[in-house]
Amino acid sequence: MLQCTAFTELPEMGARVALMGLEDEPGEATEAPELDEFLLCELGEHEEGVEHAAQLPSVSVSGGRDLWMFWSEAGGRRKFRFTELFPCPAVIHRLSVKDGDACVLYDRHPAAHSWDVTDPLADLMAERIREDVRRDRDGGGA
């Protein structure tokens, strides 16, 4: 399944307020994380009525939950909300029962788990980087 291609500008003030609301570990003060200017929906392709979602970086672990920003567009207006959610408990085991890949989305997310979502742009960028490394390694670099 392809990754949703929706993206949005991060409402920085709302994100900072949501991050400030996270609880720090006892006796520990945390620094504000770097925030990207734009966020890409991390879900697989989904129906039009489903909110888009992106996880915000956090230096604080608040009871094992992650901070997510959800947004939707209706009538030319974009609505945002921030919420803390537990991570998806799903794990896929490929060749080993001991080693597995955890889904990096939130618990009860719609559509596919993260390991079933492919990002063609990231794949293309990774291939270009591999080509550059091969070219440099083989002496074809500038």
Side-chain angles (χ1 to χ4, degrees), residues 10-32:
L10 176 69
E12 186 174 356
M13 189 57 75
R16 297 264 178 226
V17 168
L19 287 166
M20 286 175 20
L22 297 178
E23 293 181 26
D24 293 331
E25 293 295 318
E28 229 178 86
T30 57
E31 294 181 25

Side-chain angles (χ1 to χ4, degrees), residues 67-83:
L67 183 61
W68 285 82
M69 183 182 90
F70 292 87
W71 73 96
S72 60
E73 297 182 45
R77 296 193 60 179
R78 209 171 264 169
K79 293 181 181 178
F80 300 94
R81 69 181 177 93
F82 297 90
T83 190

Side-chain angles (χ1 to χ4, degrees), residues 32-84:
E34 288 271 329
L35 296 174
D36 291 330
E37 190 175 339
F38 291 92
L39 296 176
L40 177 65
C41 181
E42 296 180 38
L43 303 175
E45 293 177 311
H46 50 87
E47 295 177 14
E48 199 170 309
V50 174
E51 290 179 299
H52 301 291
Q55 185 178 5
L56 293 177
S58 174
V59 291
S60 173
V61 177
S62 184
R65 294 175 295 196
D66 301 313
L67 183 61
W68 285 82
M69 183 182 90
F70 292 87
W71 73 96
S72 60
E73 297 182 45
R77 296 193 60 179
R78 209 171 264 169
K79 293 181 181 178
F80 300 94
R81 69 181 177 93
F82 297 90
T83 190
E84 290 179 79

